[in-house]
Amino acid sequence: MSKYSKILISAAVLIYIGSLLALLKMMRIIDNHEVGDHIMSPEKIKTTINTAKSSPQHLGQPTTTKQYTELATTIAAKWNLTTPNAIDLLVQQFEKANDYDPEKDFFHFHHLYKSGGTSISNFMDKTVGLRKVGKYWEGILPGSYESGNFDHDEALSDINKRLEEGTNREDLPYKASYAHTGLRPVYGPHRTKTAKFFQEQMPNKRLRAITMLREPTDFRASNHAMIMCGLNAEIKKFNQQRAKKGLDQVCSPKDGLNVSALVDVKTQTLINKCQSGAK
């Protein structure tokens, strides 16, 4: 065996031994909680979950505050939740009773851009929205747009129409709404236009707000794709205008394409759309 081969074998053996030692050290850390008392070993997590599943009192849910705390602690550790009261907040979610009242509650889904809101809006149509009458879902307040701002005028028109037909205000069928428009704050000097509108038009309802969040990296990627799609549309229009003048299309700054100017055009279009109140 050559000297070079012996060196390679010795290095491989050392790396293997080092890996074993590191693994043993990590197991010791987990078992002894040397990285913090809030992290449970995999065996303890499994035991906690199995204990919870075997409980007949809560149909598979943990029954004691201690078990809730252990599960919340594991979740906080896994997702690196460093807020001081993160575990307490998670425990509250386990213990919180479902207090949704379909007769008294009206909930608004605040659709944050590029966060799966279209799917949630469509789901709402086919659950709380049923049944569909004409172009509207009866349980969804008109003026709701899955990818647009809330149209207060459209909502008011439908409300007034129903009131004129003899429906009592407390019997209006609306259970929910959705839009890019936010609802909160609902009270105080900074309450939103939408909150004020709902309180005035449906004073017997308790307003609830829900939303959908997205993992930040995925959100940035999706948002970037949307922006590029819009920019590509501006480039297409720009080249269509050039074609009408008998000019060749340009596709890069090297060809003379002024990307900054197109961004300015797109921005101004959005500003004009916002100022006009268009959807």
Side-chain angles (χ1 to χ4, degrees):
M1 183 181 295
S2 68
K3 182 178 180 181
Y4 180 70
S5 298
K6 292 181 179 179
I7 293 174
L8 287 178
I9 293 173
S10 299
V13 170
L14 287 174
I15 292 173
Y16 179 71
I17 294 173
S19 299
L20 285 178
L21 291 174
L23 181 60
L24 290 172
K25 177 62 176 176
M26 288 301 297
M27 292 174 65
R28 180 170 170 268
I29 289 174
I30 292 174
D31 289 338
N32 296 333
H33 302 280
E34 292 182 11
V35 295
D37 293 338
H38 63 283
I39 298 179
M40 294 192 294
S41 67
E43 293 77 12
K44 191 172 183 181
I45 294 172
K46 185 176 180 180
T47 300
T48 302
I49 293 174
N50 288 337
T51 301
K53 288 182 177 179
S54 65
S55 169
Q57 297 177 346
H58 288 267
L59 299 178
Q61 296 300 317
T63 59
T64 66
T65 301
K66 180 181 178 182
Q67 288 173 323
Y68 283 133
T69 302
E70 288 177 341
L71 288 174
T73 300
T74 304
I75 294 171
K78 177 179 179 180
W79 296 104
N80 194 28
L81 304 181
T82 56
T83 305
N85 63 339
I87 294 174
D88 291 336
L89 290 174
L90 287 169
V91 170
Q92 289 177 27
Q93 299 309 307
F94 289 133
E95 296 179 333
K96 186 175 178 62
N98 180 8
D99 63 346
Y100 171 65
D101 186 338
E103 299 302 320
K104 296 180 180 179
D105 289 347
F106 179 92
F107 66 90
H108 176 75
F109 172 57
H110 182 187
H111 177 182
L112 301 178
Y113 292 94
K114 315 311 296 176
S115 297
T118 300
S119 299
I120 297 298
S121 300
N122 293 336
F123 178 75
M124 289 170 63
D125 286 338
K126 295 174 176 60
T127 51
V128 296
L130 294 174
R131 59 190 173 95
K132 192 172 186 179
V133 181
K135 70 174 185 176
Y136 294 123
W137 297 90
E138 191 169 65
I140 302 297
L141 180 61
S144 300
Y145 285 90
E146 62 183 28
S147 294
N149 294 324
F150 187 78
D151 190 327
H152 300 83
D153 293 334
E154 185 177 349
L156 183 60
S157 176
D158 195 79
I159 291 172
N160 288 336
K161 177 176 176 292
R162 291 180 181 274
L163 294 177
E164 291 168 1
E165 291 174 348
T167 302
N168 295 324
R169 190 174 291 276
E170 59 271 19
D171 295 327
L172 291 170
Y174 318 121
K175 298 182 181 298
S177 59
Y178 50 75
H180 285 315
T181 308
L183 173 65
R184 304 178 72 178
V186 176
Y187 303 101
H190 302 295
R191 72 171 174 169
T192 63
K193 174 183 177 181
T194 302
K196 182 175 183 293
F197 177 84
F198 289 167
Q199 288 170 335
E200 292 176 346
Q201 299 301 323
M202 299 177 288
N204 59 309
K205 295 289 188 179
R206 178 173 62 163
L207 302 183
R208 316 295 292 269
I210 61 174
T211 193
M212 172 76 79
L213 301 179
R214 187 173 184 178
E215 196 278 327
T217 305
D218 290 343
F219 168 78
R220 288 295 299 273
S222 181
N223 196 50
H224 175 76
M226 181 183 70
I227 292 171
M228 294 307 297
C229 181
L231 183 57
N232 288 337
E234 293 298 328
I235 294 174
K236 182 178 179 180
K237 284 193 291 185
F238 178 73
N239 278 318
Q240 286 173 343
Q241 293 170 355
R242 287 179 59 86
K244 291 178 181 178
K245 300 176 182 178
L247 301 173
D248 294 333
Q249 71 174 12
V250 292
C251 298
S252 72
K254 183 180 178 181
D255 299 329
L257 180 66
N258 190 336
V259 177
S260 296
L262 293 179
V263 171
D264 291 340
V265 169
K266 187 67 177 178
T267 302
Q268 190 59 49
T269 300
L270 293 173
I271 292 174
N272 295 339
K273 183 178 178 180
C274 178
Q275 292 175 342
S276 67
K279 294 189 286 293

